[in-house]
Amino acid sequence: MVVQRAQKYLQRLRSTSRVALWQLPLVAAIVIVAVAAPGPWNSESARPLIIAGFLLVCGAGAACLTVPWDRLPEQTVLVIPIADLVSIGLIRNAGDGTLQGLGTLAVFPVIWIAVSMRSVVWTLVTCFVGPLLISTPTLTEAVRRGFPAGASYSLLLPVLMLTVAVAIRAATAGLRVQERLLRTQREQLRALLAESQSTERLLAAILDAVNVGIVAIGPDGLPVRSNRRFKELLAASGWIPAMSAGGPKLAFLAQDRRTPVAREQWPFVRAAAGERIDGEVYWLGTGPDAVALSIVARPIEGPEGGAVLAFGDVTALATAVDDKAELVRTVAHEFRSPLTAVLGNLDLVLESEQLTPDDRLRLEVAERSAERLLHLAADLVASSSNAIPVRLGFADLRPVLEGRADAARLAAVAAGVQLAVELEDSLWARIDPLRVGQAVDNLLSNAIKYSPDGGTITLRARRSEGWVAIEVRDSGMGISADERERIFERFFRTSEARRSDIPGVGLGLALCSWIAERHGGRLEVVSDPGRGSVFTLYLPASGPSD
């Protein structure tokens, strides 16, 4: 670790400073020796070698600072540690042997050579031969004297320097491998960072391009990231300052624009708890700046949790729906007043005994038509408010169904349709007879209208697994598969009905479905184009027979 840090530090320096730092330890050591042990300087035989070695070291140090090494080949700098080996040899072998310990200073140039020289072979040869040449005079003298005690130090010096060189070379090779690996990883991280930043910019552009407010929240319900449209929606409702560290403090109102939504029902809270939300409408804010939002939420899979919410601005649509409902209510109300007057006067006229049979028949037709218009106006009012009052009580459905079948026979005969009735004896249920009769009226009326070529209509009622099933079967034009899922929508009419110019406004089946739901039941349809349809109204069975 120390070697690695030193290498990184040296790499950050300029070439002259780096070379000077390599040379500095040796120069300092020789200067310290010269000051601490001045004895050899007094020897006339040793003085020339010591001066030569000292000048060589100092000259190499000066060259480190003056030579522009960055302009020369990289390996040229190795002349400095080789010169250091020579200077160490000159100083060590001068005098009477008192400076032989300076041979250990060879470790400085040996480390330099081991780190810097490219060739492994030449590195080992230089690091062995250099110290060996330094020890050669001592070894020669030891051979001449028969290897006296202490001569082994001279033999160990080249071996120790070679060992140091091998260790440094191995460590340097490992560091170089790590450096290459780190460089590769750094390049990979840089590429991943660039790709991540590019993806981030692309994602931000995509999110800001859509006309839907999108926000990601954490498990605590706090916004983590949002797009431009979400911020605009909040700003439009005047609630952007409320997005604080305490969480989104927004005034969510129910679809009626009056009922505050409890905090636990806020979409942020529900989504953070992992709940999926599909197209629920909330009003955000109050007054003219209120915004209607259709919200979709999906949880984020994974241990981090959180969710993503999409806010669609449906203010214009919600306002248009309210305006349409208000228009329908107004028109229906305006219809009911004159129709009530017409029916009242028709009742008075029909009480007269001076009417001829033909006139009475015509007046009764007019009365039935006016009553149908009055019922249609009531249906329009009910459909516009989406609230049909239902008063439940225990009753037998058989008399209700028989009465509705009798009322429909005249229209069936006029249309050339046969009406068959198959009812079980006991059909008790908890119902509102008026609303159930209204639903059956609509089903029978539709069956008659949509059987232009005659045929048979069957009204059947039976008990089945806890339900009373009221079935109206016809052999008319039928309904296509792609339109079957929409027939219970308000004001929807099939393409075949429009082409056939059959009168209607598309409210009957919607009202039948609502009536079934208010009773805790359901309305189902099975249809085959060209072969007819079967509508089945399921109501929970209950009463004396249970």
Side-chain angles (χ1 to χ4, degrees), residues 368 398 401-423 441 444-445 448 456-459:
R368 287 195 299 271
R398 183 181 176 92
L401 299 178
E402 288 176 342
R404 298 303 178 177
D406 291 340
R409 288 187 189 279
L410 184 59
V413 171
V417 176
Q418 295 182 356
L419 178 59
V421 180
E422 301 175 6
L423 306 176
D441 272 345
L444 289 174
S445 175
I448 294 171
T456 301
I457 295 174
T458 303
L459 173 62

Side-chain angles (χ1 to χ4, degrees), residues 356-418:
T356 64
D358 290 341
D359 292 339
R360 184 176 295 278
L361 179 61
R362 291 187 178 92
L363 289 172
E364 288 176 349
V365 171
E367 184 182 38
R368 287 195 299 271
S369 298
E371 287 177 348
R372 180 162 182 77
L373 285 174
L374 189 61
H375 288 310
L376 177 59
D379 290 346
L380 287 172
V381 172
S383 67
S384 65
S385 64
N386 198 16
I388 303 176
V390 174
R391 297 174 178 84
L392 299 178
F394 292 106
D396 188 356
L397 274 169
R398 183 181 176 92
V400 176
L401 299 178
E402 288 176 342
R404 298 303 178 177
D406 291 340
R409 288 187 189 279
L410 184 59
V413 171
V417 176
Q418 295 182 356

Side-chain angles (χ1 to χ4, degrees), residues 244-261:
S244 62
K249 301 173 183 177
L250 307 177
F252 285 110
L253 300 178
Q255 202 164 349
D256 60 4
R257 302 185 66 173
R258 293 186 299 272
T259 306
V261 179

